[in-house]
Amino acid sequence: MIPAILTGTCAFIVWCLLATRMERWWVSAPLVMVLAGAAVGLAAQGSIAAALNTTAAQRAAEIILAVLLFVDATEVRGSLLGRYPRLAARGLLIGIPVALALTMVAASFLLPALGWSMFLLVACVIAPIDFASAPSLLRDRHVPERVRDVLTVESGYTDGLVTPIFLFALLWANPANDSDDPLAALVNAAPASLIALAVGAVMGLITETAVIRSDRAGWSTERTRRLALVAIPLLTYAAAVGLGGNGFVAAFICGIVYRFRRGDAASAEVGLTEDVGALLTAAMWFVFGAVIVVALGDGVPWQILAFAALALTVLRVLPEAIAQIGSGLPRSEVLALGWLRPRGTSTIVFALIAYNTLPEGDPAELVLAIASLVVLGSIVLHTVGAPVAVAGHDRRVRNRSAQ
């Protein structure tokens, strides 16, 4: 444990102190943490799987997801759906269901032995988009401003919207429930989701009221209010779990309610929480590096490779193209909305929760392998590939101008 902590913290500190130089070399924090985690995984390969498959590991993953969902829900500026709400709504309300359905169809052809519950579970695991691994894409002048705004909204809400479906699929796919009936799984999952919705909404309202009154009465400072907001997703998570609900769904709803009530001020107020989330995200990338060793160490069948390739190409672009039919967006912007959808922390956390919850065996290991390949491929495409392609494009433009 101590060698792993030393390796992970040293890698993170080195990147932070050399961040500007590293970014010039297209070396992101997730890439550094993945490499460090992989080194630890290779050194302690036999104990990684056992460490992941514990209740403590699952709780840690859930708490990290709760913090990230709260931050995601509060960081969208402008209206709740950004400056282009109709385009964002198309992506969220049409694009997500279409992506889940097409992913399930693709899985049924390439991985037919799994069954529909696992098809849905896998689709949910690889659905969320996360720009933590490639934040420069949201600042890149080559990406149209409208596309960047819509992608920011989708990255903030996709994981939260997919989470209830993921929990339902996890309950449906778990043999411990002694039922392959999706209706029974839905009935069993509904109370926890309703409790989460209620707890999240109440906590969001209480938080907003407490922050405003404390500020106006002079009972707190800006610093202490930021500290309080760091604890809010943890409190919401604990309250929901204690009442039998889902903690990270509650944290997401809390963030939405708080953002709705506070407006753009919420984005500034959760700055410290966002920094804590960034640190937790770095920790998850480090864990992911070790997970790769477990998931891919024995080789991967061609069917899983083909499925991961589809997930990074067709199953990204086609759903967004269908969602934006009739929107009036130029074809180039529709293509950008489809291609620029990196996978990251949420996929890693979903996969770890599924691996921990499902019985030991092929299904759990397959979910971990698919998630590992998709996230690893996304790092190559978005964290490394996209900046290199942009730099090459600019270099060619400068050379043509000089001639």
Side-chain angles (χ1 to χ4, degrees):
M1 177 63 74
I2 296 300
I5 294 174
L6 285 172
T7 303
T9 52
C10 285
F12 183 69
I13 291 170
V14 167
W15 184 88
C16 289
L17 296 179
L18 300 176
T20 303
R21 181 67 60 87
M22 291 277 195
E23 288 177 351
R24 291 176 186 168
W25 297 335
W26 308 303
V27 178
S28 65
L31 182 59
V32 170
M33 298 307 292
V34 167
L35 293 175
V40 170
L42 289 171
Q45 188 170 353
S47 61
I48 296 297
L52 293 176
N53 199 12
T54 62
T55 302
Q58 180 173 342
R59 286 299 185 202
E62 290 181 355
I63 289 172
I64 290 173
L65 185 58
V67 174
L68 297 179
L69 287 174
F70 178 81
V71 172
D72 285 347
T74 56
E75 68 181 2
V76 176
R77 296 185 179 274
S79 70
L80 280 177
L81 292 179
R83 286 171 288 182
Y84 303 92
R86 292 185 179 180
L87 297 178
R90 283 173 173 267
L92 293 171
L93 302 180
I94 301 175
I96 291 177
V98 171
L100 293 177
L102 291 179
T103 303
M104 292 174 68
V105 171
S108 69
F109 282 101
L110 290 170
L111 309 166
L114 289 180
W116 287 102
S117 59
M118 285 296 299
F119 297 159
L120 180 58
L121 182 63
V122 168
C124 291
V125 167
I126 64 174
I129 62 174
D130 178 13
F131 282 89
S133 62
S136 61
L137 291 177
L138 294 179
R139 302 188 300 268
D140 197 319
R141 67 188 186 280
H142 298 87
V143 180
E145 182 270 340
R146 178 165 50 184
V147 171
R148 281 181 276 138
D149 185 81
V150 173
L151 287 174
T152 299
V153 174
E154 290 197 37
S155 67
Y157 292 148
T158 303
D159 44 7
L161 293 176
V162 170
T163 294
I165 307 173
F166 166 75
L167 295 172
F168 157 70
L170 192 60
L171 191 63
W172 182 18
N174 194 340
N177 295 309
D178 298 325
S179 175
D180 194 37
D181 182 6
L183 183 59
L186 182 61
V187 170
N188 290 332
S193 297
L194 293 175
I195 291 171
L197 289 171
V199 171
V202 170
M203 288 300 301
L205 290 171
I206 292 175
T207 300
E208 185 265 346
T209 301
V211 167
I212 289 178
R213 292 197 175 184
S214 175
D215 183 19
R216 289 176 178 173
W219 296 338
S220 63
T221 65
E222 183 178 344
R223 176 177 176 272
T224 58
R225 288 192 296 275
R226 289 199 302 267
L227 287 171
L229 286 172
V230 173
I232 288 299
L234 304 179
L235 176 62
T236 304
Y237 171 88
V241 171
L243 292 172
N246 182 269
F248 42 90
V249 172
F252 177 68
I253 298 300
C254 176
I256 288 181
V257 172
Y258 184 74
R259 165 67 181 79
F260 177 74
R261 300 277 294 180
R262 288 292 284 155
D264 284 346
S267 300
E269 292 167 344
V270 298
L272 181 58
T273 311
E274 189 174 358
D275 290 340
V276 172
L279 185 60
L280 295 175
T281 297
M284 288 308 305
W285 284 110
F286 179 74
V287 172
F288 172 66
V291 166
I292 292 174
V293 176
V294 176
L296 308 180
D298 296 329
V300 181
W302 71 266
Q303 294 93 334
I304 297 180
L305 288 172
F307 180 79
L310 284 175
L312 290 168
T313 53
V314 177
L315 297 177
R316 291 188 308 164
V317 176
L318 187 55
E320 196 63 33
I322 293 173
Q324 299 300 337
I325 292 175
S327 67
L329 272 184
R331 185 177 300 176
S332 60
E333 293 190 20
V334 173
L335 188 62
L337 281 174
W339 275 112
L340 302 179
R341 309 178 78 80
R343 305 310 202 270
T345 314
S346 296
T347 292
I348 298 168
V349 174
F350 280 171
L352 290 176
I353 292 173
Y355 180 77
N356 191 278
T357 304
L358 295 172
E360 292 186 23
D362 291 341
E365 293 172 1
L366 184 139
V367 171
L368 206 59
I370 290 175
S372 298
L373 282 173
V374 170
V375 174
L376 197 58
S378 185
I379 290 175
V380 173
L381 286 174
H382 298 104
T383 306
V384 180
V388 171
V390 168
H393 174 269
D394 286 349
R395 188 163 51 250
R396 289 191 297 272
V397 170
R398 287 195 300 269
N399 290 338
R400 284 198 298 266
S401 300
Q403 291 175 355

